[in-house]
């Protein structure tokens, strides 16, 4: 049973396209996150949601729009993809907003924009 | 200056060696300090976390925090080839849930 699962694992697309990444957690956690890891392995937070409510929006371009239909799901939609969006995107969850030291990560979505 | 600095390596050691991984941070308000391990093509997994200064031990792993010098360390005793991974240090920025990561150190343990 995968605790935090995200799909797809790999995403190859052309510049200008719109794509979505889906994430689900079965841990019963209240808080979910999106992180971006660049080619130098630098991992940076993009968004966090607590019980479907946006908590952190880390100056991410508004081409990126997260959506949380319920507290077990957090999807990421990206409009007008650019070359610089190529990275690995990780979904994560924690038991509650104040327990971010106990993050559980998914296995990542490798996005390649051509 | 990045808020959390970590030497990216790579670091290569023989099996059985003691490994020392280190990070420095800039903000004295940070209170929680974490170490994550990331295998190739996998998500990071939490190894250890500590609150404030001091040592914490878990099997072959020891995490150490020195808040006076803003220095955090992870020691791995009797290193194994299965320890080969990227190790990421992280600190927690207030209670809002924003983790700030170091760049990660790539470790290779040779049999």
């Amino acid at each position: 049973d995968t605790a935090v699962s995200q799909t797809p694992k790999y995403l190859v697309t052309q510049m200008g396209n719109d794509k979505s990444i889906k994430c689900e957690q079965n841990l019963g956690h209240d808080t979910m996150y999106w992180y971006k890891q660049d080619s130098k392995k630098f991992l940076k937070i993009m968004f966090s949601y607590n019980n479907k409510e946006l908590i952190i929006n880390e100056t991410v371009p508004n081409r990126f729009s997260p959506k949380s239909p319920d507290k077990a799901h957090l999807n990421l939609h990206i409009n007008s993809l650019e070359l610089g969006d190529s990275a690995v995107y990780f979904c994560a969850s924690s038991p509650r907003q104040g327990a971010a030291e106990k993050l559980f990560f998914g296995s990542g979505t490798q996005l390649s924009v051509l | 200056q990045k808020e959390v600095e970590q030497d990216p390596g790579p670091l290569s050691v023989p099996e059985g060696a003691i490994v020392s991984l280190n990070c420095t941070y800039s903000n004295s308000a940070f209170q929680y300090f974490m170490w994550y391990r990331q295998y190739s093509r996998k998500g990071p997994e939490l190894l250890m976390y500590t609150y404030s200064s001091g040592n914490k031990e878990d099997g072959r792993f020891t995490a150490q925090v020195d808040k006076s010098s803003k220095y955090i360390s992870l020691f791995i005793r009797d290193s194994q080839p299965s320890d080969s991974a990227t190790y990421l240090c992280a600190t927690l920025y207030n209670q809002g849930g924003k983790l700030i990561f170091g760049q990660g150190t790539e470790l290779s343990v040779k049999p």
Side-chain angles (χ1 to χ4, degrees):
Chain A
D1 281 347
T2 305
V4 181
S5 59
Q6 50 183 113
T7 55
K9 192 168 177 63
Y10 299 98
L11 192 49
V12 181
T13 188
Q14 300 287 332
M15 248 182 3
N17 283 351
D18 303 337
K19 290 293 178 186
S20 292
I21 307 172
K22 294 186 175 182
C23 180
E24 176 182 4
Q25 54 95 3
N26 61 7
L27 298 166
H29 288 172
D30 286 345
T31 311
M32 295 185 72
Y33 310 80
W34 279 109
Y35 276 82
K36 179 181 179 180
Q37 189 171 46
D38 64 22
S39 57
K40 293 185 178 178
K41 296 277 192 177
F42 193 54
L43 196 60
K44 190 170 180 184
I45 192 168
M46 299 173 70
F47 302 101
S48 79
Y49 270 74
N50 188 64
N51 256 323
K52 303 192 296 176
E53 182 186 346
L54 179 67
I55 302 298
I56 295 174
N57 181 340
E58 196 64 13
T59 59
V60 176
N62 57 16
R63 298 183 295 105
F64 290 79
S65 51
K67 281 194 172 48
S68 181
D70 55 63
K71 74 173 192 177
H73 295 83
L74 180 62
N75 304 322
L76 183 65
H77 188 76
I78 316 169
N79 289 328
S80 303
L81 278 154
E82 300 177 357
L83 292 176
D85 297 332
S86 296
V88 182
Y89 292 84
F90 287 99
C91 178
S93 71
S94 66
R96 59 189 184 283
Q97 185 181 336
E101 69 275 15
K102 300 173 186 174
L103 279 187
F104 288 79
F105 282 87
S107 55
T109 296
Q110 171 95 55
L111 172 64
S112 299
V113 183
L114 308 177
Chain B
Q1 181 195 7
K2 288 196 176 105
E3 292 181 278
V4 179
E5 299 267 8
Q6 186 176 6
D7 185 339
L11 180 62
S12 182
V13 301
E15 184 176 352
I18 296 174
V19 176
S20 171
L21 304 167
N22 307 294
C23 291
T24 58
Y25 63 94
S26 58
N27 191 335
S28 57
F30 293 148
Q31 290 187 310
Y32 283 91
F33 306 92
M34 282 70 68
W35 283 96
Y36 282 81
R37 178 176 61 196
Q38 185 176 20
Y39 290 114
S40 181
R41 300 189 187 280
K42 297 286 186 187
E45 57 177 328
L46 180 64
L47 263 182
M48 301 179 73
Y49 74 91
T50 56
Y51 176 74
S52 197
S53 280
N55 289 2
K56 186 173 183 179
E57 192 173 315
D58 184 2
R60 296 184 295 110
F61 298 88
T62 300
Q64 195 172 77
V65 176
D66 182 348
K67 291 196 78 179
S68 62
S69 56
K70 301 193 188 73
Y71 202 80
I72 52 181
S73 302
L74 178 71
F75 299 97
I76 308 174
R77 289 184 300 281
D78 187 25
S79 56
Q80 303 294 309
S82 59
D83 295 328
S84 298
T86 296
Y87 289 80
L88 300 139
C89 63
T91 67
L92 182 61
Y93 188 78
N94 68 36
Q95 294 298 313
K98 179 180 169 181
L99 275 189
I100 298 173
F101 283 86
Q103 191 175 341
T105 300
E106 186 182 345
L107 172 67
S108 176
V109 181
K110 304 291 186 188

